[in-house]
């Protein structure tokens, strides 16, 4: 009997694999709540920052008549922010220009939380508008202006989440049918084939939130005031006048059948 | 009976057939037959240092760095192999960021023992110089695989991937950021070049598996969970790539109660998780590994076998 030994060498075929084989995996979300721990290590780290902030942020700077949220076709918060931006923006514009801006436009995504009914602290305004965006005046050609209203109509839904809908100032009347603008009035006058001056934030003016109609405008003028500061000025003014903050849903953006 | 069931289950697991039950996997860990790795994660914390106030409508008392730290420490006591990641948008959302530029957020994350983070769009909110100014407060790396910062001041301040080792298990981690154009002001991100996430993911998986022999591939993503419109998301990333085991996400502030399971290009399982925003939840992903048996190791590494023929 002859014995033959065959020697075969197994070369690693699976060099790309590690040594450990994954047998099971699963994932959950765990709620972060008070675990009744005595540990205050991080609270202690935060304390000096918190104390410095609280002294200014906890101040009640206005009273609001209502809770305001963003929405589509309109939301109370977006309407409020656009109206005060047009008013305060134009006050600043007057100092550098012989013109007045025609209307204002912001975005719902930039208004980060709702405004509560009752006491409004400086902190709340920072939470609504945490970004350092400045107000600017953009002069748009007739074509770009038409594009702006088409953009709003396309983005506006009858009942949407906070990311939908585009807030504008109260002097606009935009009628939408099947996601298209069927009629636009500004200060009760139908849209004309002229340039329009729009107050918005520099974030949107630079094409943010896909607002490409703002790019390459006829002119781009800075107003030297942040959107958040405009909100703070508005709050302080209303309080000084003894008035509460208020907003309403009107005819600025509407669906027609 | 239970021994027999254990045995059967064990054989089937070895054959890669059966999904194990939790208690069984845990018992295997206790017996030293399996190794457990837990990955903890957050996303879109947005400078929420303090818990939500007790009069908050939706999230009263939830979140807060101390509460998160306590939970992390509790889990660290229960599990020896822990990794802790964040998926971006650390910054922006409370005055802590407006006033202190993110310094405090990064200090706190360092103290909590974060192992790495990727960058979200809001981490550019004070520009790249603003990010760079506070970055020394982070003792963990920023992993960005598809942002090319080579023509910016962030050059060499982020890394494309990192390999972690826990009880012998090699975990390869890479990071994917969202397209900045149209989302972030150009003046804030400058000459950062956004590269295709899918191509980058494939490149990273290849490097991590072939060059670094990783046992597990994790992607830290700020692409968003899913979109109605045709737009790249974690869901599309999961199904159109291969080799990724876990995608931790952010950006869309999606609250997932349990990690969502997808099948990748090769039909293999990928977990995707995202934990809303503001530090309200902490994600916890458990992995159970079995070291390849000696026999298997012999078969897959160089060796000699003798075959007798008459």
């Amino acid at each position: 009997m002859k014995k033959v030994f065959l020697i075969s060498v197994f070369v690693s075929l699976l060099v790309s694999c590690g040594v450990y084989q994954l047998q099971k995996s699963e994932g959950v979300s765990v709620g972060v709540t008070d675990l009744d721990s005595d540990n205050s290590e991080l609270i202690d780290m935060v304390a000096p920052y918190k104390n410095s902030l609280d002294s200014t942020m906890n101040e009640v700077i206005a009273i609001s008549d209502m809770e305001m949220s963003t929405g589509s076709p309109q939301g109370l918060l977006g309407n409020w922010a656009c109206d005060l931006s047009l008013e305060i923006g134009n006050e600043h514009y007057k100092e550098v220009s012989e013109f007045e801006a025609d209307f204002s436009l912001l975005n719902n995504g930039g208004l980060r939380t709702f405004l509560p009914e009752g006491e409004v602290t400086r902190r709340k305004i920072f939470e609504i508008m945490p970004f350092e965006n400045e107000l600017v005046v953009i002069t748009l050609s007739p074509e770009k202006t038409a594009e702006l209203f088409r953009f709003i109509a396309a983005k506006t839904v009858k009942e949407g989440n906070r990311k939908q809908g585009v807030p504008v100032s109260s002097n606009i009347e935009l009628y939408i049918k099947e996601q298209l603008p069927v009629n636009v009035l500004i200060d009760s006058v139908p849209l004309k084939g002229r340039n329009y001056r729009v107050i918005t934030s520099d974030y949107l003016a630079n094409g943010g939130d896909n607002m490409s109609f703002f790019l390459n405008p006829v002119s781009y003028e800075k107003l030297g005031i942040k959107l958040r500061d405009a909100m703070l000025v508005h709050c302080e003014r209303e309080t000084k006048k003894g008035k509460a903050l208020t907003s309403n849903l009107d005819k600025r953006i509407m669906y027609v059948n | 009976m239970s021994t027999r069931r254990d045995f059967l289950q064990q054989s089937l697991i070895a054959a890669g057939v059966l999904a194990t039950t939790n208690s069984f996997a845990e018992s295997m860990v206790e017996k030293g037959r399996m190794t457990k790795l837990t990955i903890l994660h957050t996303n879109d914390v947005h400078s929420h240092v303090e818990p939500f106030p007790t009069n908050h409508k939706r999230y009263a008392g939830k979140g807060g760095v101390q509460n998160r730290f306590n939970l992390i420490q509790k889990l660290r006591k229960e599990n020896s192999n822990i990794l802790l990641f964040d998926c971006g948008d650390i910054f922006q959302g409370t005055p802590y960021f407006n006033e202190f530029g993110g310094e405090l957020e990064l200090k706190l994350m360092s103290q909590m023992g974060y192992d790495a983070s990727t960058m979200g769009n809001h981490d550019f909110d004070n520009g790249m110089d603003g990010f760079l100014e506070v970055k020394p407060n982070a003792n963990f790396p920023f992993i960005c695989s598809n942002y090319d910062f080579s023509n910016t001041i962030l050059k060499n301040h982020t890394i494309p991937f990192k390999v972690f080792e826990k009880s012998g298990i090699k975990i390869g981690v890479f990071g994917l950021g969202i397209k900045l154009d149209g989302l972030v002001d150009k003046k804030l991100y400058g000459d950062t070049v956004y590269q295709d996430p899918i191509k980058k993911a494939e490149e990273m998986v290849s490097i991590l598996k072939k060059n670094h022999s990783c046992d597990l591939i994790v992607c830290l993503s700020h692409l968003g969970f899913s979109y109605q419109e045709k737009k790249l998301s974690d869901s599309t990333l999961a199904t159109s790539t291969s080799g990724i085991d876990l995608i931790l996400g952010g950006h869309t502030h999606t609250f997932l109660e349990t990690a969502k399971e997808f099948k990748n290009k090769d039909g293999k399982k990928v977990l995707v998780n995202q934990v809303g925003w503001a530090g309200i939840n902490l994600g916890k992903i458990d992995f159970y590994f079995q070291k390849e048996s000696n026999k298997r190791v012999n078969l897959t590494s160089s060796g000699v076998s003798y075959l007798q023929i008459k």
Side-chain angles (χ1 to χ4, degrees), chain A residues 2-10, chain B residues 303-310:
Chain A
K2 197 169 74 178
K3 278 183 180 174
V4 178
F5 289 96
L6 276 184
I7 299 171
S8 61
V9 177
F10 286 77
Chain B
V304 180
S305 109
Y306 300 89
L307 197 66
Q308 193 175 19
I309 296 173
K310 219 179 175 179

Side-chain angles (χ1 to χ4, degrees), chain A residues 90-135:
Chain A
N90 261 333
E91 288 169 15
H92 282 255
Y93 196 37
K94 230 185 267 173
E95 290 166 21
V96 293
S97 169
E98 55 182 308
F99 301 108
E100 232 184 272
D102 295 290
F103 63 95
S104 67
L105 178 151
L106 295 169
N107 71 324
N108 280 338
L111 302 170
R112 306 296 280 188
T113 188
F114 65 92
L115 186 120
E117 186 185 347
E119 293 187 342
V120 178
T121 57
R122 181 170 283 115
R123 182 188 303 277
K124 185 51 72 179
I125 300 298
F126 270 80
E127 285 172 5
I128 291 170
M129 186 58 222
F131 312 117
E132 306 298 330
N133 299 146
E134 289 181 25
L135 291 178

Side-chain angles (χ1 to χ4, degrees), chain B residues 115-249:
Chain B
D115 291 288
S117 177
T118 194
M119 281 179 82
N121 47 302
H122 283 295
D123 299 318
F124 290 87
D125 277 3
N126 277 353
M128 286 184 286
D129 47 345
F131 178 80
L132 206 52
E133 202 184 312
V134 295
K135 193 182 166 281
N137 296 292
N139 65 5
F140 53 88
F142 282 86
I143 303 179
C144 301
S145 314
N146 70 323
Y147 289 148
D148 178 359
F149 291 122
S150 33
N151 294 322
T152 75
I153 53 166
L154 286 190
K155 186 184 177 180
N156 299 329
H157 287 282
T158 65
I159 53 172
F161 64 85
K162 184 166 176 174
V163 179
F164 296 88
E165 199 167 331
K166 291 280 171 186
S167 296
I169 301 164
K170 282 182 157 185
I171 305 106
V173 181
F174 68 100
L176 295 177
I178 194 163
K179 192 175 171 187
L180 299 170
D181 181 30
L183 189 64
V184 178
D185 203 322
K186 175 92 172 99
K187 70 175 189 245
L188 300 175
Y189 67 85
D191 292 324
T192 303
V193 180
Y194 165 84
Q195 297 168 304
D196 180 51
I198 297 214
K199 273 189 199 155
K200 268 292 159 189
E202 281 165 350
E203 190 187 321
M204 290 299 125
V205 169
S206 168
I207 292 172
L208 291 167
K209 288 208 165 196
K210 287 193 182 134
N211 304 359
H212 298 274
S213 312
C214 288
D215 302 290
L216 189 80
I217 305 289
V218 180
C219 172
L220 309 182
S221 153
H222 200 77
L223 297 171
F225 179 66
S226 70
Y227 300 96
Q228 284 179 329
E229 66 266 35
K230 200 169 171 266
K231 185 174 169 182
L232 181 66
S233 65
D234 294 339
S235 309
T236 49
L237 176 74
T239 53
S240 51
T241 54
S242 53
I244 305 173
D245 297 292
L246 172 67
I247 301 170
L248 300 174

